[in-house]
Amino acid sequence: MKAVRIHGRGGPEHLVYEDIPQPQPGPGEVLVRVYAAGVIAPELTWDETYVTSKGVSRPLPIPGHDVTGVVEAVGAGVSEPNVGTAVYGLTAFDRDGSAAEYMLALPDELTQKPLLLDYVQAAAVPLTALTVWQALFEHGSLMAGQKLLIHGAAGGVGVFAVQLAHWTGAYVIGTSSERNENFLYDLGVNEVIDYTRIRFEDAIQEVDMVLDMVGGDTLDRSWQVLKKGGVLISVANPPSVEEAKAHGVRSVWFIVEPNRLQLHQIGELIDAGKIRPVIDTVFPLSQARQAYEQGAKGHTRGKIVLRVKD
Ligand SMILES: NC(=O)c1ccc[n+]([C@@H]2O[C@H](COP(=O)([O-])OP(=O)(O)OC[C@H]3O[C@@H](n4cnc5c(N)ncnc54)[C@H](OP(=O)(O)O)[C@@H]3O)[C@@H](O)[C@H]2O)c1
C-alpha cells in the first residue's frame, strides 16, 4: 500500500511517500481503508511519535491520527464496528497513523461518520472537536452565560471551540488576526480581538474561562483577564501552577484522548447542523510533505486534510 512515513526526527522534510506492506488486524483490532486523514503539524516533534508509552522505539512512524474511511476487516473478538461501516475517529498518538491507504485502529477509537459530511470534511473533526469537548465540558464545565476567551480562535481547535461554546450559550471572545474577523463572527463569536494590533488584556477582563491554543507569552498574559475562581485551560503549553494560585484561579493542561461516545455526540451535533468542520486546504496523500509544511506556518484557518482515496 501507499503510505507516508517519517524517516527522521525534525520537520516535514523527513516525510517520505512510499510503498510499504499493508497491515493485518490482530485480535481486537480494526483495519480501516483510509479515505482521508487530518494533518496535525506539531506531531512531527512529539515524543510519542517516536517512542511508545511502553518505551519501544518507532523508527519509521506513519503520522496522522484523524481518520475517516470504511472498515475493511476486523480481528478476532471485535463485534463492532462491522465490515463496510463508514467510520471516523481519533487514534492513539503512539501507534501508526492514517497517512496511509490502510491503518489499524481500536473499536473504541471509531464511531459512525456523520451523515452530513463527506470523508474529507469528516477528517477535520476528531482531534480538534474532541480536544474542545474535553476542555470545555470535562476539565472546564462551561455553562451558558459565562464569558470565554479563546486564543487561536481561527485555528483547527479554535473553530470548534467557538462553535461549541456558542452552542452552550457562553459569551465568546476570540483572538485572531484581522483576516479572520468576519469568518469568526459567522461562526458565532461575540467579539474578536486582533492580536496583531491590540493586547487582549487591555480590552477585556473578568472572564470565566480562557482556552489557550497559542501558549508562550499569550498564555503568560492570560492570568490577569480571569475573574477569581476562573479557569485557564491550555492545550499548547502547561500553565504555571504557582501563577494560578497567585491569581486565585484553576489551571489545566491535558492531552486529548480518543473517545468514541464523545465523538458520537459531536457527530450528532454536526448532523443536526449545530456545528461544522472548516477545511483550509486539501492535499493528496502524495503531497503530505507540502501539507505539513503549510500547517507548520501556524496560520491555518480550520484544518488541513489529506485526501487518501478519491
Ligand atoms: N494538548 C492537546 O491534547 C492538544 C490537542 C490539539 C491541539 N493541541 C495544540 O494546540 C495548538 C493549536 O492547535 P491547532 O491545530 O488549533 O493550531 P493551528 O490550526 O495551526 O492554529 C492556527 C491558528 O492560530 C492563530 N494564531 C497564530 N498566532 C496567534 C496568536 N498569537 N494569537 C491568536 N491566534 C493566533 C492563527 O490565526 P491568524 O492566521 O489569524 O494569525 C491560525 O488561525 C497546537 O500547539 C497543538 O499542538 C494540543
Side-chain angles (χ1 to χ4, degrees):
M1 68 170 183
K2 292 288 185 201
V4 172
R5 293 195 297 186
I6 310 171
H7 280 246
R9 204 163 169 156
E13 69 277 13
H14 296 293
L15 294 176
V16 180
Y17 177 66
E18 56 192 336
D19 285 300
I20 63 167
Q22 182 185 315
Q24 298 302 323
E29 291 179 332
V30 178
L31 180 69
V32 180
R33 171 65 171 106
V34 180
Y35 281 48
V39 168
I40 307 166
E43 75 172 298
L44 303 184
T45 64
W46 294 345
D47 289 342
E48 301 88 315
T49 306
Y50 303 96
V51 183
T52 70
S53 55
K54 292 184 178 134
V56 179
S57 161
R58 306 177 61 221
L60 294 169
I62 298 173
H65 302 282
D66 284 306
V67 61
T68 57
V70 172
V71 175
E72 176 86 7
V74 296
V78 175
S79 55
E80 249 190 285
N82 296 319
V83 171
T85 306
V87 290
Y88 79 144
L90 170 67
T91 62
F93 299 120
D94 66 349
R95 300 200 317 269
D96 274 341
S98 51
E101 289 179 316
Y102 294 88
M103 82 171 290
L104 295 174
L106 302 179
D108 281 352
E109 295 170 335
L110 303 170
T111 190
Q112 278 196 337
K113 179 181 77 64
L115 298 171
L116 272 190
L117 304 185
D118 62 27
Y119 289 97
V120 163
Q121 291 169 321
V125 177
L127 169 93
T128 50
L130 280 172
T131 301
V132 174
W133 191 277
Q134 291 169 18
L136 298 186
F137 308 134
E138 280 192 351
H139 299 284
S141 316
L142 185 71
M143 287 185 292
Q146 288 190 323
K147 208 189 254 190
L148 168 70
L149 170 63
I150 300 168
H151 290 307
V157 180
V159 298
F160 276 112
V162 169
Q163 295 180 87
L164 281 167
H166 176 72
W167 169 72
T168 306
Y171 185 87
V172 185
I173 306 159
T175 60
S176 78
S177 65
E178 191 183 2
R179 169 181 91 90
N180 284 311
E181 203 170 305
N182 289 339
F183 162 71
L184 287 174
Y185 282 123
D186 285 347
L187 276 189
V189 95
N190 297 93
E191 277 180 57
V192 179
I193 299 176
D194 174 0
Y195 71 88
T196 66
R197 288 192 307 113
I198 299 167
R199 289 174 73 82
F200 62 85
E201 64 272 36
D202 294 338
I204 48 163
Q205 52 188 338
E206 296 285 297
V207 307
D208 297 280
M209 186 187 292
V210 174
L211 177 55
D212 168 44
M213 268 75 73
V214 175
D217 174 59
T218 299
L219 191 167
D220 292 341
R221 291 190 282 122
S222 292
W223 302 108
Q224 54 195 295
V225 305
L226 279 161
K227 63 165 67 155
K228 287 253 177 309
V231 57
L232 192 163
I233 303 174
S234 181
V235 293
N237 295 145
S240 150
V241 176
E242 291 74 35
E243 287 283 353
K245 228 181 241 169
H247 287 86
V249 301
R250 200 159 64 82
S251 68
V252 177
W253 155 257
F254 74 100
I255 304 280
V256 61
E257 290 184 357
N259 188 305
R260 181 185 186 182
L261 185 63
Q262 290 172 351
L263 200 52
H264 181 75
Q265 290 174 283
I266 288 163
E268 285 184 335
L269 286 178
I270 290 171
D271 281 339
K274 305 284 186 203
I275 58 173
R276 64 177 172 89
V278 175
I279 309 276
D280 183 302
T281 319
V282 182
F283 288 88
L285 181 63
S286 58
Q287 288 176 20
R289 189 182 288 186
Q290 289 92 316
Y292 277 78
E293 277 166 359
Q294 183 172 315
K297 290 181 184 155
H299 293 288
T300 306
R301 177 187 283 176
K303 191 89 181 168
I304 299 170
V305 173
L306 296 174
R307 187 192 299 279
V308 181
K309 185 177 184 300
D310 287 325

